[in-house]
Amino acid sequence: MNRLLIIACVVMSLGLAVTAFPNGAVSVLLIYFLSIVGIFLIRFFAPDDKEFLINIFLVALLARVAFGIMIYIFDLQLFFGADATLYDAVGQRLVEMWSGQSVENDFLTQRASSTTDVGWGMNYLVGIIYFITGKSILIAQSFCAVI
């Protein structure tokens, strides 16, 4: 890894943590954790090309995080992908159901309960993230930026 790439990663993470505090700070911790796991896997399974692959991984991650910050700060979820709003709502409904809160039997509850609809895996992924960290679309976007 070159020094410029490391500096860009640190600046981006500080920018994310400061501009969207406290969710940004949680996002940075999640990105660091998942990135360390990813870099470890790259180093373990591709020892010959590890420097090149790690650089590609970090450049792509920087681009995805920068794009995610822009979408979050300027509230552009509906413009770039309205499905994010549905994943957000269904993920929150799943958390309500798992927490034992009474929920009305509406479209969201039926969608959250179904594992046959399109996107059910993403619904559950967002629900698990929200259950662990609390409702924050930025944290879910950060998770998806890494994986």
Side-chain angles (χ1 to χ4, degrees), residues 80-144:
F80 283 106
D83 56 342
T85 306
L86 182 62
Y87 294 141
D88 179 53
V90 173
Q92 182 59 34
R93 182 57 55 97
L94 280 169
V95 170
E96 292 168 359
M97 291 167 54
W98 294 337
S99 300
Q101 299 175 11
S102 81
V103 293
E104 57 186 83
N105 190 16
D106 60 355
F107 169 75
L108 280 179
T109 303
Q110 292 173 2
R111 176 108 182 173
S113 302
S114 174
T115 56
T116 58
D117 285 337
V118 174
W120 70 269
M122 189 66 176
N123 292 335
Y124 275 81
L125 178 64
V126 172
I128 291 168
I129 291 169
Y130 286 2
F131 190 77
I132 294 169
T133 64
K135 184 180 179 189
S136 172
I137 198 164
L138 179 63
I139 296 172
Q141 283 177 335
S142 298
F143 180 86
C144 291

Side-chain angles (χ1 to χ4, degrees), residues 51-72:
E51 291 298 320
F52 175 73
L53 292 174
I54 290 171
N55 286 339
I56 293 291
F57 172 76
L58 291 176
V59 167
L61 180 62
L62 282 171
R64 292 181 69 149
V65 169
F67 192 65
I69 291 171
M70 182 190 72
I71 290 172
Y72 180 76

